[in-house]
Amino acid sequence: MSPSDTSTAPGTTTATATPSGSPGVQELPRGGTALFPRYRLVGYSGGAAEAFGRLGIGSLQKRTEEIEKLGTKYDGDGREPLPVLELIATVVQASPGKDGLHRSRTSDAEIERYLKVARANKALLLLNIQPGRADFLTEVKAMSRWLAEPDVGVALDPEWAVGAKERPGRVYGRTSAAELNEVSLWLSEFVAEKQLPQKPFVVHQLASRIISDVPGLRARRNLGFVISVDGIGSREAKEETWRKLVKPLPEGIHTGFKLFFEEDREHGRLMTPAQVLKLKPRPEYVLYE
């Protein structure tokens, strides 16, 4: 068994740390080295194009302030809200590109811009990966420079992970527990090697067919491993999807829930924080797009 499977979340230091506790100890932006159960993550997703989500519309600082305010509505059960900026960092493309992989990577300058705002507001930055025909591990490793920071995590979007002869947008993408376990093991060992605090590792799941063998998923002590239930619809439809997707999750895997400001409202009223907190189990990451 690897060190990342047996050790508790590390809290020691590297030269790039921005400590908020004892000298030389890396911590999460608002203290401590473990995400759960102390925190509930609350965030917006998006990117350079407005179509990507709320996060990319207007002033990034104002969006972050909105997340902060929204988070206060999710603290009724004693959890501290921790703001999240989920940036689409590997973007799926309709065209194959020169390498034929149907994806492009956001520039370091743009990632740095988001990290600067996240850090100024003691928030987390999550790098969302839409891999196209590339594999998740390669794309996550490509973000190593950023993942070496104590306040940067990763989110995988397997809806956009297609096969070598498939085109994103024409078919639903998919992944497997085996592939996700490979990525989570690498990232957990990376966290241990760099002596980082526990890192969020989010996987968005639209439907049961998106991830095969969900009961085979492995929790990692160095990661806050979250399966985030995705999908547009009415409150009733979203709750039904929630019950279906969280039921097979193994022990140690945390839950997330996604809402869409515009698309969900086409099917009724947007769920309120109070309604979201009535879900069982209560989501530990709430994401808005």
Side-chain angles (χ1 to χ4, degrees):
M1 188 173 290
S2 72
S4 59
D5 290 329
T6 58
S7 60
T8 56
T12 46
T13 134
T14 65
T16 59
T18 337
S20 56
S22 310
V25 176
Q26 290 192 91
E27 294 189 347
L28 293 163
R30 302 195 178 190
T33 58
L35 289 164
F36 309 120
R38 175 173 174 177
Y39 294 108
R40 172 171 287 109
L41 310 183
V42 180
Y44 282 0
S45 67
E50 290 189 7
F52 288 171
R54 178 71 173 169
L55 188 63
I57 299 173
S59 163
L60 183 55
Q61 176 59 33
K62 288 183 178 179
R63 298 293 80 79
T64 308
E65 291 168 4
E66 285 180 12
I67 298 169
E68 184 79 57
K69 185 177 180 180
L70 182 60
T72 64
K73 300 178 181 180
Y74 283 98
D75 64 354
D77 58 355
R79 295 234 182 177
E80 297 177 39
L82 180 54
V84 171
L85 281 59
E86 186 169 319
L87 169 66
I88 303 176
T90 298
V91 187
V92 72
Q93 303 287 311
S95 59
K98 291 182 179 179
D99 57 10
L101 295 179
H102 285 268
R103 63 94 179 91
S104 64
R105 295 172 183 162
T106 298
S107 69
D108 284 344
E110 184 71 351
I111 295 174
E112 186 172 10
R113 183 172 76 89
Y114 274 79
L115 180 56
K116 183 178 180 180
V117 174
R119 194 161 281 175
N121 291 273
K122 295 185 177 180
L124 289 171
L125 175 64
L126 262 63
L127 302 179
N128 181 291
I129 308 295
Q130 301 176 346
R133 290 181 182 171
D135 64 90
F136 276 125
L137 185 58
T138 298
E139 294 306 306
V140 171
K141 286 182 176 181
M143 301 293 170
S144 294
R145 168 186 173 183
W146 303 106
L147 293 173
E149 300 295 334
D151 45 3
V152 180
V154 69
L156 308 184
D157 214 338
E159 176 187 352
W160 303 108
V162 300
K165 295 183 179 180
E166 296 174 332
R167 296 189 66 175
R170 293 189 178 182
V171 298
Y172 276 116
R174 62 204 174 277
T175 188
S176 64
E179 181 177 23
L180 296 177
N181 288 341
E182 181 183 25
V183 178
S184 69
L185 178 59
W186 178 86
L187 186 59
S188 184
E189 292 178 339
F190 182 84
V191 169
E193 177 190 348
K194 301 295 183 181
Q195 298 180 300
L196 299 167
Q198 195 177 51
K199 193 171 287 293
F201 177 72
V202 177
V203 181
H204 293 289
Q205 187 179 14
L206 180 68
S208 56
R209 64 181 178 273
I210 300 293
I211 304 173
S212 64
D213 188 26
V214 168
L217 292 171
R218 293 279 304 277
R220 309 289 184 191
R221 289 190 181 183
N222 293 327
L223 306 179
F225 192 159
V226 176
I227 294 294
S228 179
V229 175
D230 207 334
I232 295 165
S234 65
R235 177 185 176 185
E236 293 76 16
K238 292 173 79 76
E239 288 178 343
E240 182 180 354
T241 301
W242 171 266
R243 289 189 292 269
K244 183 177 182 180
L245 297 187
V246 302
K247 187 176 181 180
L249 292 179
E251 185 178 355
I253 304 297
H254 304 273
T255 56
F257 191 68
K258 190 171 181 180
L259 300 109
F260 295 81
F261 282 117
E262 296 181 5
E263 293 89 341
D264 281 354
R265 285 191 173 107
E266 294 175 4
H267 302 272
R269 293 183 177 179
L270 184 69
M271 289 178 68
T272 66
Q275 290 170 339
V276 172
L277 291 177
K278 287 182 179 179
L279 295 170
K280 296 181 180 179
R282 287 176 173 170
E284 296 177 275
Y285 179 30
V286 183
L287 179 66
Y288 288 79
E289 182 177 311

